[in-house]
Amino acid sequence: MTTPAGTPQPEPLRSAVDASEGWLLLEFGATWCGHCQAAKPVVQAFVQGHALLHSWVEDGKGRPLGRSFAVKLWPTLVLLRDGQEVARVVRPLREQDLAPLQNAMAV
């Protein structure tokens, strides 16, 4: 389920996400989204510094996974542990914007 940001992949099913084990970071966005491009370096640095799976999910109208997570703005990062959401960050630009993810992983 690990994919580099912007790499087209089939959208994971919600049932597969809910059944995932361990840490999983879902990154919802769009390839043309300026906010997503701006967030890419800080997100990549976070992923490289932590033991977790990362899945970039192309979001948009009618995309079921994004709707099931009530994604409204891009990028939205949803951190899950064993299929359960433990933290969420919207439109991060700096490392400190990812503090909710860092704090959730420290518990």
Side-chain angles (χ1 to χ4, degrees), residues 33-105:
C33 168
H35 294 287
C36 300
Q37 297 304 317
K40 193 179 293 189
V42 72
V43 173
Q44 288 176 343
F46 181 83
V47 169
Q48 290 173 354
H50 294 82
L52 56 87
L53 293 175
H54 173 232
S55 184
W56 186 85
V57 180
E58 177 81 25
D59 194 35
K61 185 177 182 180
R63 297 287 184 134
L65 190 59
R67 303 301 61 80
S68 73
F69 278 99
V71 172
K72 304 261 190 251
L73 297 171
W74 302 323
T76 293
L77 307 175
V78 178
L79 180 65
L80 300 105
R81 184 173 191 182
D82 298 329
Q84 299 296 311
E85 182 175 340
V86 294
R88 177 181 294 235
V89 173
V90 178
R91 291 193 174 168
L93 290 177
R94 302 173 317 249
E95 182 181 344
Q96 53 267 47
D97 295 337
L98 300 179
L101 307 181
Q102 181 69 42
N103 294 341
M105 292 189 79

Side-chain angles (χ1 to χ4, degrees), residues 3-40:
T3 59
T7 303
Q9 296 288 323
E11 181 174 314
L13 297 174
R14 179 63 193 247
S15 59
V17 171
D18 290 343
S20 65
E21 294 182 5
W23 293 104
L24 170 62
L25 180 66
L26 296 177
E27 178 181 358
F28 293 93
T31 55
W32 52 265
C33 168
H35 294 287
C36 300
Q37 297 304 317
K40 193 179 293 189

